[in-house]
Amino acid sequence: MKNRLILFCSCLLFYVFSSKAQDSPVPFNPISLDDLSAFQPSSGNWTVVGDIIYDLEGKKAKIESGTGILLNTLQKGENQPLMTAFDHGDIELELEFMMPKGSNSGIYLQGRYEVQLFDSWGKQNPDFSDAGAIYQRWDESRGSGRAGFEGHPPMLNVSKAPGLWQSLRIVFRAPRFDPNGKKIANAKFVSVYQNGVLVQKNVEVTGPTRAAFFEDETPLGPLVIQGDHGGVAIRNINYKSYGSEQVVLSDMKLTSYDSIKKITDFATANPKGTMDIDVLAHLAPASRNEFAGSVSGTLNIPSSGEYFFNLNLAWVPDDTPPGVINGAGVLLIDGKEVVEVDGVTGKANGSAQLTAGDHTLTLNYFKVFGHWYAPSNDILLTVEGKGVAQMALNKPIKAADPVGEISVQVKDQAEMQRGFFMHKGSKRTHTVAVGEPGGANYVMDLSTGALLAIWRGEFVETTPMWYGRGETQLMLPKGALIEFTDGPSVAMLENENQAWPSDSVNYTFESYKVNVQGEPMVHYSIGSARISSQVSTADAGKKLVHQLQVNSADTSQEFWCRLASGSKIEKLSKSLYAIDDKSYYIELNGKESPVIRSSGNGMQELILPLKWDGNQSLVSYSIVW
């Protein structure tokens, strides 16, 4: 039987999850930014402030006193890096950063391996020096033109404009050494996410990158922020630090069964056969759509504490209709139930307090029929504990899906895609997505006239539209998504204090027409007013311009346009507003007089009264991010 497993990996595989569906319950450790006590002493270029406003055009920054933001401002004298007071090995790091125009900085894992921070806004072909890149190594002995090597550009440039907050998430595995101190495995960036988009995956670095703060390699080192190349603001620094020890599942046996229809049947069912297995999969002879198994094994825990388990039975879809459950499963450790997959969904999680050493693991599962849109029979069991990174237990190595990704590419003109779109957890069924040359993309809801979301990067993946069903049959944006508040862009209000309608009262979709650039112009009406809405790009794709034309025979009605909604709206200049705590900008021509108002639940709105020229009113504003 061992020969049948030649294509599988017989060891325990390391895997780190990034999906929100698999978010870890193990808390992050925050680095306090009340002062600089979490860092080693440095020079005066580093301070802690309450707020920072970087001008979009690179003019002088505005700084507010307070705490919560780590700020590097270049001084005339010495500008030193900032090093944490703690050392780390394997680490998962999250932070937010903001760049002034044209600035350059970097985050060095262990003070040796740099993830680049840079003002890369709008750059079409990023390289190893752009934001999200792994900076190159350097060796003069390689000769002229070859000294720089191993630089890794980001897979996508999803950088925002100067003065906007951006997110960074890094999963890093430190180099490994034998007992004699000899390196036996290189450092690796398991993943790097910028603004929620994967920009690096499984990148090994054979040594310190150029201008590292240490030339050697060691199991531990400080987190370092570059301080001498340009200004940068950083906040919300959180991390999980891991050791090199892992949970190990060994000595597995699979007992197969027939005629299992529910979990309780295992207690009385007669086994069909037993076999040794090395990977977590149903390897016993069985039909593809009717099988059952009980896996037993020894689970070795490196240190005592609470451990969190996630179980995913891929043949059970997330939208199983009531009464047609096609499978379920249960995980037991030392005879106690830890996780139960009930069959309504294929995913579940649970935790157990476990002592260091060996424990008995039992996993019972069954499948009674197959959904055509959930054809996989994969079993995925992950575990995580404090100091132990989330990992998949004995996962088989499989060939890539021969179908591959189905996506819509944008070339010389805009592309449109009709389909279902998930907006803030709710599926919208009457949406049109538009991808513009230059990487600016957006989606509109034709049933409400709302602009739902924008993103920068590639356009949309449509694989679930071909292979999904129900909630999973979606078009997926391939970039850094910014979602807007739902509701109509234009509404009739009695005055500026009346609440914005949550849905489109008296809204009627009429049609849309496509211009020569491939962009739709959407026509709809609200009451007796007829509205035309169009979005186009400006400044080489750095901005989206939303234009609205309203025609009405009755101009006594007071119409307003909602430009934005967010947790915090700040007027930065006569024409520029920062939205949702500096997530994006709204830019006007400087002549309009919008109103910033409270909309309840801690939110604010930016609304603009429409001015009539005869029976017509025009509104044009730019979304900048």
Side-chain angles (χ1 to χ4, degrees):
M1 182 54 61
K2 300 282 185 181
N3 293 334
R4 296 183 59 189
L5 304 180
I6 191 169
L7 295 179
F8 297 95
C9 176
S10 61
C11 64
L12 197 65
L13 298 181
F14 179 88
Y15 188 88
V16 177
F17 285 85
S18 61
S19 168
K20 290 183 178 180
Q22 296 284 347
D23 275 350
S24 163
V26 177
F28 280 84
N29 299 304
I31 293 180
S32 173
L33 296 181
D34 291 337
D35 50 37
L36 294 175
S37 60
F39 303 92
Q40 299 179 34
S42 186
S43 55
N45 53 303
W46 292 101
T47 56
V48 171
V49 302
D51 197 11
I52 174 72
I53 297 175
Y54 287 132
D55 184 83
L56 184 60
E57 302 302 325
K59 298 177 183 178
K60 187 176 180 180
K62 298 178 182 179
I63 300 172
E64 293 184 11
S65 61
T67 62
I69 296 175
L70 183 64
L71 181 63
N72 176 39
T73 305
L74 295 186
Q75 308 292 310
K76 291 184 179 180
E78 187 178 18
N79 295 286
Q80 294 182 356
L82 192 65
M83 301 186 181
T84 57
F86 67 87
D87 289 345
H88 72 85
D90 293 2
I91 193 171
E92 184 175 349
L93 175 69
E94 293 183 350
L95 58 83
E96 293 177 272
F97 70 96
M98 179 192 292
M99 305 297 295
K101 185 177 181 179
S103 191
N104 176 7
S105 186
I107 303 292
Y108 289 77
L109 284 300
Q110 295 190 317
R112 294 168 171 85
Y113 317 99
E114 182 185 10
V115 176
Q116 180 77 343
L117 302 182
F118 199 83
D119 172 24
S120 302
W121 183 39
K123 187 172 181 179
Q124 293 298 309
N125 297 300
D127 58 30
F128 65 85
S129 64
D130 283 293
I134 308 300
Y135 204 67
Q136 67 177 359
R137 301 194 62 210
W138 191 264
D139 184 354
E140 294 282 1
S141 68
R142 292 168 58 92
S144 178
R146 300 179 64 247
F149 63 104
E150 286 188 8
H152 297 271
M155 291 187 281
L156 289 174
N157 180 15
V158 293
S159 293
K160 291 186 179 183
L164 297 177
W165 285 112
Q166 307 189 58
S167 66
L168 192 68
R169 179 173 180 264
I170 301 169
V171 178
F172 173 81
R173 192 184 71 184
R176 300 295 195 254
F177 300 86
D178 67 15
N180 297 319
K182 179 182 178 182
K183 188 174 75 168
I184 56 176
N186 290 321
K188 176 188 285 190
F189 288 92
V190 178
S191 62
V192 178
Y193 285 79
Q194 183 185 352
N195 297 327
V197 177
L198 182 67
V199 294
Q200 302 287 349
K201 181 180 180 181
N202 291 329
V203 175
E204 282 197 25
V205 279
T206 58
T209 55
R210 188 179 186 183
F213 299 97
F214 307 97
E215 295 182 359
D216 63 343
E217 293 186 278
T218 58
L220 300 173
L223 189 68
V224 181
I225 309 171
Q226 192 175 53
D228 61 348
H229 278 45
V232 65
I234 297 177
R235 69 179 185 182
N236 296 333
I237 310 173
N238 298 282
Y239 70 96
K240 296 180 189 179
S241 187
Y242 302 112
S244 60
E245 293 182 309
Q246 299 183 3
V247 176
V248 176
L249 178 59
S250 60
D251 301 326
M252 290 195 298
K253 293 184 180 295
L254 167 62
T255 301
S256 57
Y257 295 85
D258 282 337
S259 302
I260 297 290
K261 305 296 182 184
K262 54 185 182 296
I263 286 294
T264 54
D265 290 347
F266 281 97
T268 57
N270 293 319
K272 183 179 178 181
T274 301
M275 58 189 296
D276 294 332
I277 59 173
D278 293 319
V279 294
L280 199 53
H282 190 81
L283 300 177
S287 70
R288 178 170 181 80
N289 291 322
E290 187 175 354
F291 57 80
S294 179
V295 174
S296 62
T298 299
L299 189 71
N300 183 264
I301 300 297
S303 59
S304 299
E306 186 174 17
Y307 287 80
F308 300 88
F309 296 84
N310 285 282
L311 177 60
N312 183 0
L313 305 180
W315 60 87
V316 182
D318 288 337
D319 56 348
T320 298
V324 291
I325 290 174
N326 69 322
V330 62
L331 171 70
L332 302 101
I333 298 178
D334 296 333
K336 297 180 180 179
E337 182 180 307
V338 176
V339 180
E340 180 189 8
V341 172
D342 59 13
V344 176
T345 176
K347 304 180 182 72
N349 56 71
S351 66
Q353 288 284 347
L354 300 175
T355 57
D358 291 341
H359 298 264
T360 300
L361 177 145
T362 304
L363 174 61
N364 298 332
Y365 57 87
F366 69 92
K367 180 180 180 182
V368 292
F369 64 89
H371 289 286
W372 66 268
Y373 57 96
S376 174
N377 287 330
D378 290 349
I379 301 169
L380 183 63
L381 177 62
T382 69
V383 61
E384 180 182 14
K386 188 173 183 180
V388 177
Q390 192 176 67
M391 56 189 295
L393 292 172
N394 299 42
K395 181 184 176 184
I397 293 178
K398 300 179 65 178
D401 187 344
V403 174
E405 179 183 296
I406 303 171
S407 60
V408 181
Q409 304 294 326
V410 178
K411 295 182 180 178
D412 298 328
Q413 69 172 26
E415 292 285 344
M416 286 176 33
Q417 178 65 52
R418 292 288 301 270
F420 299 163
F421 183 85
M422 192 64 72
H423 176 257
K424 295 189 175 182
S426 175
K427 185 172 69 175
R428 314 306 291 265
T429 58
H430 295 75
T431 60
V432 57
V434 180
E436 295 276 4
N441 313 284
Y442 63 93
V443 61
M444 297 182 71
D445 190 337
L446 300 178
S447 67
T448 63
L451 188 60
L452 293 179
I454 56 174
W455 66 97
R456 196 175 302 285
E458 295 183 357
F459 186 31
V460 291
E461 180 185 351
T462 57
T463 312
M465 295 175 63
W466 293 95
Y467 293 97
R469 177 178 171 180
E471 291 297 321
T472 62
Q473 195 174 10
L474 301 165
M475 55 181 175
L476 306 174
K478 298 182 64 178
L481 191 68
I482 296 175
E483 294 184 280
F484 300 140
T485 300
D486 190 18
S489 297
V490 175
M492 289 182 289
L493 302 179
E494 294 180 0
N495 53 61
E496 68 179 58
N497 298 315
Q498 182 181 347
W500 200 264
S502 59
D503 55 12
S504 294
V505 180
N506 299 322
Y507 171 93
T508 303
F509 169 74
E510 295 180 356
S511 66
Y512 68 80
K513 297 180 181 179
V514 181
N515 64 18
V516 293
Q517 288 79 32
E519 301 161 338
M521 175 176 283
V522 181
H523 303 286
Y524 56 94
S525 60
I526 297 178
S528 61
R530 190 170 186 270
I531 301 164
S532 297
S533 173
Q534 184 169 1
V535 179
S536 58
T537 59
D539 197 5
K542 292 181 178 179
K543 303 177 182 180
L544 283 175
V545 180
H546 190 191
Q547 296 175 305
L548 293 143
Q549 177 178 310
V550 182
N551 291 275
S552 178
D554 182 6
T555 58
S556 65
Q557 297 175 313
E558 194 168 343
F559 279 84
W560 293 73
C561 175
R562 184 168 64 179
L563 307 176
S565 175
S567 60
K568 183 180 181 182
I569 298 179
E570 304 164 81
K571 184 176 181 179
L572 304 183
S573 68
K574 187 176 180 181
S575 60
L576 193 66
Y577 295 79
I579 311 300
D580 206 17
D581 192 20
K582 301 185 183 70
S583 177
Y584 63 98
Y585 296 118
I586 291 293
E587 185 178 52
L588 298 165
N589 63 20
K591 297 179 181 180
E592 297 91 343
S593 298
V595 174
I596 299 175
R597 67 176 193 174
S598 173
S599 59
N601 298 321
M603 301 291 285
Q604 291 183 309
E605 290 177 330
L606 184 66
I607 62 174
L608 179 69
L610 272 60
K611 296 182 179 180
W612 296 102
D613 182 5
N615 293 326
Q616 185 180 92
S617 181
L618 298 174
V619 176
S620 179
Y621 65 95
S622 296
I623 306 168
V624 186
W625 81 105

